Amino acid sequence: DGGITQSPKYLFRKEGQNVTLSCEQNLNHDAMYWYRQDPGQGLRLIYYSQIVNDFQKGDIAEGYSVSREKKESFPLTVTSAQKNPTAFYLCASTPTSGGNIQYFGAGTRLSVL
Amino acid sequence: ILNVEQSPQSLHVQEGDSTNFTCSFPSSNFYALHWYRWETAKSPEALFVMTLNGDEKKKGRISATLNTKEGYSYLYIKGSQPEDSATYLCALSNYGQNFVFGPGTRLSVLP
């Protein structure tokens, strides 16, 4: 089935540790996104990528890094510089850049030990 | 970046009741308004995309309207069922890359 797969579903990070969240899509979509959700807030954009080997910072990129080496993969690394990483992280994709429906993964919940 | 607001934050209705929620925005400077349904432990799913003032969309018992002049969209659910329980997200997209999401309305339908 076509879709977006995020893994792991739950992730725990120790202080000072970098962790990587996986996002894979087999929809052949060009654009991919990472969002963060905190209680009572809307989804906030961390990074997005319109094409392979290119990505742009979103509204809250500090403390995060991404790569886009393959069209189907857009991993997000939460670095030790992110002081408040506990949140729910959603990955999404769209067929072309701008204005289209976003398709979402099921999310990863990150907690700090 | 536009600020998208949604109200109410949460609500509880009885099975069979009809209900509606609001998405409001300060400017009509966007390409499309989207409604998503996000059930617990699942991925958000697109319900409607609307681009023009006066747009109305319907899918079964759920419908939505868009009024860009007055800065709001309504989502209506007729005859709510327990399976309608979810968080309903409103988002605006522009011609570029960005989607701006509201905080959502959490609906609980009690049997």
Side-chain angles (χ1 to χ4, degrees):
Chain A
D1 285 1
I4 299 178
T5 302
Q6 289 188 242
S7 62
K9 194 171 182 179
Y10 299 96
L11 185 59
F12 296 92
R13 192 190 92 166
K14 294 180 182 178
E15 192 134 352
Q17 187 182 40
N18 292 354
V19 292
T20 297
L21 285 61
S22 170
C23 178
E24 304 278 331
Q25 53 101 356
N26 59 4
L27 300 168
N28 199 33
H29 286 174
D30 297 306
M32 296 186 74
Y33 307 73
W34 274 106
Y35 293 95
R36 168 179 171 143
Q37 192 202 30
D38 295 282
Q41 296 193 41
L43 303 179
R44 292 185 292 166
L45 182 65
I46 304 172
Y47 268 99
Y48 63 96
S49 168
Q50 296 174 283
I51 196 169
V52 174
N53 291 323
D54 186 56
F55 47 82
Q56 282 79 42
K57 292 181 179 179
D59 303 319
I60 54 166
E62 187 173 349
Y64 299 97
S65 65
V66 292
S67 62
R68 188 86 185 276
E69 297 177 3
K70 300 185 293 183
K71 187 176 185 177
E72 58 270 23
S73 179
F74 191 40
L76 174 74
T77 296
V78 184
T79 74
S80 57
Q82 173 49 247
K83 298 306 179 187
N84 185 23
T86 298
F88 191 75
Y89 292 86
L90 273 174
C91 179
S93 67
T94 59
T96 58
S97 58
N100 285 288
I101 294 173
Q102 295 212 311
Y103 296 79
F104 287 90
T108 293
R109 184 166 298 281
L110 175 63
S111 302
V112 177
L113 291 176
Chain B
I1 298 175
L2 296 178
N3 185 39
V4 180
E5 297 181 350
Q6 291 187 247
S7 62
Q9 186 176 11
S10 65
L11 75 162
H12 301 264
V13 301
Q14 289 295 133
E15 182 175 356
D17 288 350
S18 293
T19 187
N20 66 84
F21 357 110
T22 305
C23 173
S24 58
F25 40 88
S27 165
S28 61
N29 187 24
F30 58 87
Y31 169 71
L33 183 141
H34 307 250
W35 281 101
Y36 288 84
R37 176 168 60 201
W38 191 2
E39 296 179 66
T40 302
K42 294 186 178 181
S43 310
E45 289 184 327
L47 284 174
F48 303 115
V49 182
M50 296 178 286
T51 57
L52 298 176
N53 183 48
D55 264 356
E56 293 187 27
K57 294 287 177 80
K58 186 175 181 182
K59 185 184 293 186
R61 294 178 292 98
I62 303 178
S63 60
T65 61
L66 176 62
N67 186 326
T68 58
K69 292 183 179 178
E70 297 188 24
Y72 66 82
S73 172
Y74 289 147
L75 186 80
Y76 301 90
I77 302 179
K78 183 178 179 181
S80 302
Q81 299 297 310
E83 57 264 31
D84 295 328
S85 297
T87 296
Y88 290 83
L89 299 175
C90 174
L92 302 180
S93 63
N94 57 22
Y95 288 97
Q97 200 64 18
N98 287 342
F99 284 65
V100 178
F101 284 84
T105 292
R106 183 184 297 273
L107 173 67
S108 297
V109 181
L110 307 174

